[in-house]
Amino acid sequence: MQSTATGWDEKDVDPKVDDQEKKLSTVERRLSGSTRSSEAGIEGDYGADSGLKRKLSSRHLYMISLGTAIGTALWLGSGANLTTAGPVGMWIGFWIAASIAWALMQSVGELTVMYPVPSAFPRWSQNLVDHSIGISHGWAFWLLYTLGIPTELAGLVTVMQFWTDKVPPAGWISIFLFILVVLNAFPVRVYAETESIMSFIKFAWIFIIIITSIVISAGGGPKGSSIGFRYWREAPFTHGFKGFLNVMPNAVFSMSGIELVGIAAAEAKNPKKSVPKSVGSIWLRLGLFYIIGILMVTIIISPHSPDIFGGKGADASPFVIAFRNAGIPGLSHAMNAIILISVFSAANSEVYTAPRILVGLAEVKMAPKWFLRCDRQGRPLYGFLFTILISGGLAYLNVNQTGSTVFQWFESLVSLCVLYSWGCIFLAHLRFRKAWKVQGFSADQLPWKSKFYPFSAIWGISWCILICIIEFYLAVWPLGKPSSARNFFATYLSIVLIVIIYCAAKIYYRGPFWKKPSVVNLDHGRRFYSNRSANDDTEEDELYAFFKSTIKKIIPKKK
């Protein structure tokens, strides 16, 4: 069975032709895969192409992966998590979430190099696991990023209200939504360059945060005294074990977007080179922004502060409050500006991602075919307009509610979509390796191999299932609230919708729970790499060279 230029034959993605797939012997599949591998000496990479254009370099993917997960949840939501779980409870929760995210990127890296297609994650589920799971995963994934846009816009409103409350929320929403639309109306390279610059700013600022937080904790600010780990001793767990459980889904939500490299790879010039670089930097992102960054939150501000985002006071970032309390108002304003950039960057990534998910879904008949429409620059027109209409409309819910309330509504819905999406990725990875082995291939034949397989994938999927159960428990018996049907559906609605979509698809398509490894077509959406692909260094563009030469001028060579 041959892959088409787009990588996905229509007959291949329809589960009703499974009988045709079964007629292909294992020998035929092995010949199909091996004769088109890099060992065959083919010239140029091919396969997994679409209406999107491959214009992103390694530097673009690296910077996108560095900054996409750094948004509202870290700078603002960490304050609400601190109040809920306490400093020790929050830090442990983020450690667990970081380990899941690390395992996720191992699975994403291996599958992305193999299958760098639009809307990659649901298409992996469809091809490697089951068509019904692919459909539910695809729409859950689109919902994740579409709901993420109003979440970030609610955060932007809160950030701007730190400086002035004279502009109504609807005004700020309209302004930022317009800017997002304009930025994403340009070719993908404009998005990539914008995101690279914002990611660089966020990455540089975290070092200032760490140093300043240590100084404040030591009592080095103009105001205040030495804090140290006082808050760890006074209130390690503010709401006991239930408070700790409450922070787990939020910690996962804060890292959503870290897997975006799997989507952006569909527009990468050389996924075999750029994706491993992005995956290799995961320890840097998780370590600096989450493990150390969250540690700084726990030592500079009390979990009982009324001004924390979601509290009854100023409703601001814990970093901003800490700098202001320490008598450094200038730094608090600078911090708020960085938060503005970070939250806008996250919103920008979501506006970029959601329409491309629809392109991928339409290619495999999981969405109307008019979502396939891309212009000459590779921009998904109808997917973009549809996403903006839905997410923009939801964003205006902020008009009659506070930013923190709206943020927490969407956070609950999005976190479950994140867990379901991550769980499906882990499952697809496990089923892929099973099919790869059954059809006679070895792990050494993979274009890129993840670390600690299968333990990393099993670890990740186990935690995704466990946290979904925790969310159910918290939806039925919420922290500090009486049980109610309204609260349950406000928290668990996204899972209910996902289950309905899955059941409807399963009833329509029928078939086994998942595909047998022997009949999985491993060439669906596959990218085939030439011998020179891994050594192709032509992606260092002018902006990267500029930054490189500037750093060399600033840091003199050792004599």
Side-chain angles (χ1 to χ4, degrees):
M1 186 174 292
Q2 300 290 321
S3 300
T4 64
T6 60
W8 297 77
D9 280 332
E10 289 186 2
K11 65 178 181 180
D12 292 341
V13 299
D14 191 341
K16 294 183 178 178
V17 300
D18 275 350
D19 290 338
Q20 297 177 17
E21 290 189 352
K22 292 176 183 177
K23 295 177 183 178
L24 289 174
S25 67
T26 302
V27 175
E28 287 175 316
R29 291 182 185 281
R30 291 186 65 181
L31 288 173
S32 176
S34 62
T35 56
R36 291 182 290 176
S37 65
S38 58
E39 287 82 0
I42 60 175
E43 293 186 6
D45 303 341
Y46 71 96
D49 294 319
S50 66
L52 304 177
K53 305 297 182 182
R54 293 191 177 275
K55 295 184 178 182
L56 301 183
S57 68
S58 290
R59 192 259 307 171
H60 288 141
L61 249 66
Y62 184 86
M63 295 304 291
I64 288 171
S65 66
L66 189 67
T68 47
I70 314 302
T72 318
L74 176 63
W75 299 124
L76 293 175
S78 57
N81 291 328
L82 179 65
T83 301
T84 301
V88 177
M90 182 174 74
W91 202 51
I92 294 173
F94 272 83
W95 258 107
I96 295 173
S99 71
I100 303 170
W102 181 88
L104 176 80
M105 289 306 294
Q106 295 301 311
S107 295
V108 167
E110 182 171 303
L111 290 174
T112 299
V113 174
M114 193 78 174
Y115 306 111
V117 292
S119 188
F121 310 143
R123 293 174 70 170
W124 299 342
S125 297
Q126 178 273 328
N127 184 50
L128 301 170
V129 186
D130 174 66
H131 196 75
S132 302
I133 289 180
I135 291 176
S136 59
H137 185 188
W139 284 102
F141 194 55
W142 175 79
L143 187 65
L144 159 62
Y145 280 92
T146 302
L147 289 179
I149 297 168
T151 305
E152 307 299 348
L153 288 171
L156 287 168
V157 170
T158 299
V159 171
M160 296 307 298
Q161 287 177 340
F162 175 79
W163 287 310
T164 178
D165 56 2
K166 295 182 180 179
V167 179
W172 289 125
I173 292 170
S174 301
I175 291 170
F176 286 115
L177 196 58
F178 175 77
I179 297 173
L180 289 169
V181 169
V182 170
L183 277 178
N184 282 271
F186 287 102
V188 66
R189 191 177 177 87
V190 174
Y191 159 77
E193 296 296 354
T194 304
E195 196 59 40
S196 295
I197 293 170
M198 290 190 287
S199 294
F200 180 78
I201 293 171
K202 289 186 282 186
F203 181 72
W205 184 256
I206 193 65
F207 292 100
I208 298 175
I209 288 289
I210 293 170
I211 294 171
T212 307
S213 297
I214 293 172
V215 171
I216 291 174
S217 181
K223 294 181 181 179
S225 57
S226 176
I227 301 172
F229 284 84
R230 181 197 308 167
Y231 303 130
W232 282 51
R233 296 189 299 271
E234 292 178 352
F237 297 93
T238 51
H239 292 92
F241 185 65
K242 195 170 185 178
F244 165 71
L245 294 180
N246 208 80
V247 84
M248 288 295 299
N250 299 339
V252 171
F253 164 72
S254 69
M255 299 181 193
S256 64
I258 206 164
E259 74 281 12
L260 184 59
V261 63
I263 298 298
E267 296 176 85
K269 296 176 184 176
N270 188 350
K272 187 177 180 180
K273 176 187 174 186
S274 54
V275 172
K277 282 186 176 182
S278 300
V279 173
S281 69
I282 183 66
W283 65 270
L284 185 64
R285 285 173 276 163
L286 296 174
L288 279 177
F289 287 99
Y290 289 106
I291 304 304
I292 299 178
I294 291 298
L295 176 63
M296 294 301 104
V297 174
T298 65
I299 65 174
I300 60 176
I301 189 167
S302 168
H304 302 298
S305 172
D307 291 332
I308 289 178
F309 182 73
K312 299 178 181 178
D315 210 27
S317 163
F319 295 104
V320 172
I321 297 168
F323 295 155
R324 187 177 58 192
N325 293 344
I328 319 174
L331 196 58
S332 66
H333 286 282
M335 180 71 241
N336 210 53
I338 295 298
I339 295 172
L340 178 66
I341 292 172
S342 298
V343 177
F344 183 82
S345 169
N348 192 36
S349 295
E350 285 154 355
V351 172
Y352 161 82
T353 304
R356 283 157 176 82
I357 295 171
L358 293 175
V359 172
L361 294 177
E363 284 192 358
V364 290
K365 296 184 176 181
M366 295 184 193
K369 63 181 181 180
W370 41 273
F371 284 130
L372 285 169
R373 177 74 180 275
C374 295
D375 64 9
R376 293 181 180 178
Q377 297 294 330
R379 292 168 294 200
L381 297 179
Y382 291 118
F384 178 72
L385 292 173
F386 182 71
T387 299
I388 288 297
L389 285 174
I390 299 296
S391 59
L394 290 173
Y396 285 97
L397 289 174
N398 203 358
V399 173
N400 296 319
Q401 298 288 339
T402 65
S404 63
T405 301
V406 174
F407 173 81
Q408 289 165 6
W409 284 349
F410 287 122
E411 184 181 48
S412 297
L413 293 173
V414 171
S415 61
L416 285 166
C417 291
V418 174
L419 289 166
Y420 183 75
S421 179
W422 287 13
C424 287
I425 292 171
F426 287 124
L427 181 59
H429 189 202
L430 291 167
R431 299 302 296 172
F432 164 72
R433 279 295 194 100
K434 180 70 173 178
W436 189 256
K437 182 179 179 180
V438 166
Q439 296 185 31
F441 297 105
S442 70
D444 293 333
Q445 291 176 275
L446 292 168
W448 187 81
K449 184 169 60 174
S450 62
K451 297 178 181 178
F452 305 113
Y453 179 88
F455 305 107
S456 57
I458 294 172
W459 171 265
I461 197 171
S462 299
W463 272 107
C464 287
I465 294 170
L466 180 59
I467 298 175
C468 281
I469 295 172
I470 290 172
E471 277 272 44
F472 179 81
Y473 166 73
L474 294 172
V476 177
W477 296 283
L479 179 65
K481 298 178 183 177
S483 299
S484 67
R486 179 181 180 183
N487 184 78
F488 175 82
F489 285 104
T491 304
Y492 226 67
L493 179 62
S494 51
I495 285 291
V496 174
L497 292 175
I498 290 168
V499 170
I500 291 173
I501 293 171
Y502 171 78
C503 291
K506 201 65 183 174
I507 292 170
Y508 179 76
Y509 291 110
R510 302 183 182 279
F513 182 70
W514 55 35
K515 294 182 179 181
K516 293 181 179 180
S518 58
V519 303
V520 170
N521 191 330
L522 294 171
D523 288 343
H524 282 302
R526 183 174 173 182
R527 183 77 171 169
F528 297 95
Y529 300 96
S530 63
N531 290 322
R532 65 187 180 186
S533 179
N535 299 316
D536 184 6
D537 291 321
T538 60
E539 296 183 18
E540 283 193 357
D541 55 24
E542 295 81 2
L543 187 59
Y544 177 78
F546 170 75
F547 279 124
K548 196 173 181 179
S549 61
T550 303
I551 292 172
K552 284 183 177 180
K553 291 177 182 178
I554 296 174
I555 305 175
K557 294 182 179 180
K558 293 182 180 179
K559 296 182 179 180

